[in-house]
Amino acid sequence: MADHQDTTARDADDIERHDCPRCGVQPGSACRSRSGAVAGIYHTGRFKKVARLAKLLRVPTPADRGPGQPWRPGNPPSAAPETGTPGADIRIGYARCSHLTQELQSQLDALSAHGIPRDKIFSEKISSRVRVRPQFEAALTLAREIKAHAPHCRVLFTV
């Protein structure tokens, strides 16, 4: 039971890092109802900004946020860790086209736009029928090496 409460509180913290597009509440505060009380569940548009919660239909407001109580502004959440510091996310990208006449540059640009450094983007033009993809294997190898040397960091593999 305590583990479920910890998860709910962690989800609430992640949700409350964003403004609510529906009720306009600022980061650090739970959503509010039409009457101005703290809502019992978060508004869908807000928790869809948290990747692991985006497909859920309901995310309850934890009891410690005071559902049903008059709404008051909360404390802004702490800043996310900076890139390059212990515990930060490390991103690796992979782009592939299956035919030599297809262009690969738009995929490379999209990966770069998501903050993936060019030295951590792997790409190749190779048919989907080919089972062994050298650049894909090289990207996976790099991800495993990073995780082995920095287990406290998340490695995000973007395709």
Side-chain angles (χ1 to χ4, degrees), residues 59-127:
V59 176
T61 303
D64 66 350
R65 299 298 200 268
Q69 301 299 313
W71 181 84
R72 288 185 309 288
N75 296 327
S78 59
E82 295 180 25
T83 305
T85 60
D89 294 340
I90 299 170
R91 298 180 173 273
I92 297 174
Y94 174 74
R96 181 188 67 83
C97 286
S98 59
H99 196 271
L100 293 176
T101 59
Q102 292 176 323
E103 65 94 16
L104 194 61
Q105 192 59 45
S106 61
Q107 292 181 46
L108 298 173
D109 292 343
L111 291 168
S112 293
H114 279 83
I116 302 172
R118 186 63 185 112
D119 65 323
K120 290 195 174 77
I121 297 177
F122 296 80
S123 63
E124 58 194 343
K125 289 189 176 188
I126 192 166
S127 173

Side-chain angles (χ1 to χ4, degrees), residues 11-153:
D11 291 345
D13 291 339
D14 287 345
I15 290 169
E16 291 174 8
R17 290 189 188 284
H18 306 279
D19 288 337
C20 180
R22 183 168 167 196
C23 67
V25 66
Q26 71 265 20
S29 298
C31 293
R32 60 177 177 239
S33 65
R34 288 186 186 137
S35 67
V38 175
I41 55 174
Y42 289 92
H43 296 134
T44 304
R46 188 173 188 185
F47 66 77
K48 281 192 171 188
K49 296 178 180 181
V50 181
R52 73 176 184 280
L53 303 175
K55 293 185 180 178
L56 299 178
L57 297 176
R58 295 171 53 95
V59 176
T61 303
D64 66 350
R65 299 298 200 268
Q69 301 299 313
W71 181 84
R72 288 185 309 288
N75 296 327
S78 59
E82 295 180 25
T83 305
T85 60
D89 294 340
I90 299 170
R91 298 180 173 273
I92 297 174
Y94 174 74
R96 181 188 67 83
C97 286
S98 59
H99 196 271
L100 293 176
T101 59
Q102 292 176 323
E103 65 94 16
L104 194 61
Q105 192 59 45
S106 61
Q107 292 181 46
L108 298 173
D109 292 343
L111 291 168
S112 293
H114 279 83
I116 302 172
R118 186 63 185 112
D119 65 323
K120 290 195 174 77
I121 297 177
F122 296 80
S123 63
E124 58 194 343
K125 289 189 176 188
I126 192 166
S127 173
S128 56
R129 295 180 191 166
V130 176
R131 297 281 185 212
V132 177
R133 299 181 186 152
Q135 290 298 305
F136 182 73
E137 294 300 326
L140 285 177
T141 300
L142 177 63
R144 290 181 187 118
E145 287 175 2
I146 291 171
K147 195 62 181 170
H149 289 94
H152 56 279
C153 295

